Amino acid sequence: EPFSYYVNTRQVPQKLLILENKDTFYSMRKSLLGDKKDILGVEIGTLIYGAGKGIWRSFQEFDSCAEPYMKDRNNELLYFGDLDYEGIFIYEKLAEIFAVRAEIKPFTIAYEQMLIKSSKLPLLPEMKEGQNQHISGQFFRFFSKETSDEMMKILETGRYIPQEILNIRDF
């Protein structure tokens, strides 16, 4: 399964950012099409549209689908998705699939900004029913205990933060 991506630069090493949802991919792409080289203060070389769980199939064939610069062992791979059980599950399974090749880390600054922005809302949306809640917890090891606790509280109350809470004005 080939994947869609936007190349800001082919220089290596670089940060490749995998995005769960199309709206965020297009917002970040639009931001990078200007003079900006960074997203939330982090220089990003390539954006990859993950298409939710579709990223699992794409990354199983990474070596045959990716451009040569993307395969550089010195690159850093980041992931950003919804803050809900499903988004965390997608990340954890992707990280597991790709672990033999490289570590994929959550784009922590984006998740932290989601929490800050959502704290100004009166109520977060309800999580969609039927989400796989069998997360391993590996996602949370990249965050402080305080941030992890705040995220878990949101999940345990049946709420979530869509990644689209951050938009082009935030980038």
Side-chain angles (χ1 to χ4, degrees):
E1 292 283 327
F3 49 85
S4 300
Y5 57 93
Y6 167 73
V7 179
N8 198 34
T9 180
R10 286 184 169 78
Q11 290 181 292
V12 291
Q14 67 164 270
K15 290 179 174 59
L16 291 88
L17 177 56
I18 304 159
L19 300 160
E20 181 181 339
N21 299 322
K22 194 182 299 183
D23 288 344
T24 304
F25 173 81
Y26 282 118
S27 293
M28 287 187 179
R29 179 180 169 268
K30 186 174 182 180
S31 181
L32 291 174
L33 282 169
D35 292 337
K36 290 189 71 175
K37 301 290 180 211
D38 68 278
I39 300 291
L40 299 171
V42 178
E43 193 170 324
I44 301 294
T46 301
L47 297 174
I48 299 172
Y49 170 50
K53 293 176 184 171
I55 195 65
W56 299 337
R57 289 185 307 279
S58 298
F59 265 58
Q60 286 174 333
E61 301 298 325
F62 185 80
D63 286 326
S64 61
C65 295
E67 289 190 44
Y69 80 90
M70 292 178 175
K71 301 175 197 177
D72 189 285
R73 297 270 181 193
N74 296 310
N75 288 339
E76 186 175 352
L77 291 145
L78 302 169
Y79 180 86
F80 178 48
D82 293 336
L83 184 57
D84 61 2
Y85 286 112
E86 201 73 19
I88 293 169
F89 180 71
I90 291 168
Y91 160 75
E92 288 182 345
K93 183 161 179 164
L94 176 62
E96 181 184 312
I97 289 168
F98 211 62
V100 295
R101 192 170 204 304
E103 182 177 45
I104 300 175
K105 300 174 186 173
F107 189 33
T108 55
I109 187 73
Y111 288 101
E112 290 162 355
Q113 290 301 309
M114 288 171 75
L115 288 170
I116 290 167
K117 197 166 181 183
S118 71
S119 70
K120 297 173 180 133
L121 298 176
L123 190 62
L124 292 173
E126 288 187 25
M127 204 176 302
K128 296 173 187 87
E129 288 189 37
Q131 290 200 5
N132 183 342
Q133 295 186 19
H134 300 288
I135 57 176
S136 70
Q138 289 298 308
F139 172 82
F140 298 104
R141 70 187 173 99
F142 295 94
F143 299 91
S144 70
K145 179 170 177 11
E146 180 182 274
T147 300
S148 295
D149 289 349
E150 189 176 346
M151 291 174 168
M152 282 306 299
K153 183 178 175 186
I154 291 167
L155 297 175
E156 289 168 353
T157 59
R159 303 288 176 176
Y160 82 107
I161 307 173
Q163 74 177 142
E164 292 87 357
I165 194 170
L166 300 180
N167 56 53
I168 195 159
R169 290 182 303 264
D170 300 303
F171 307 135

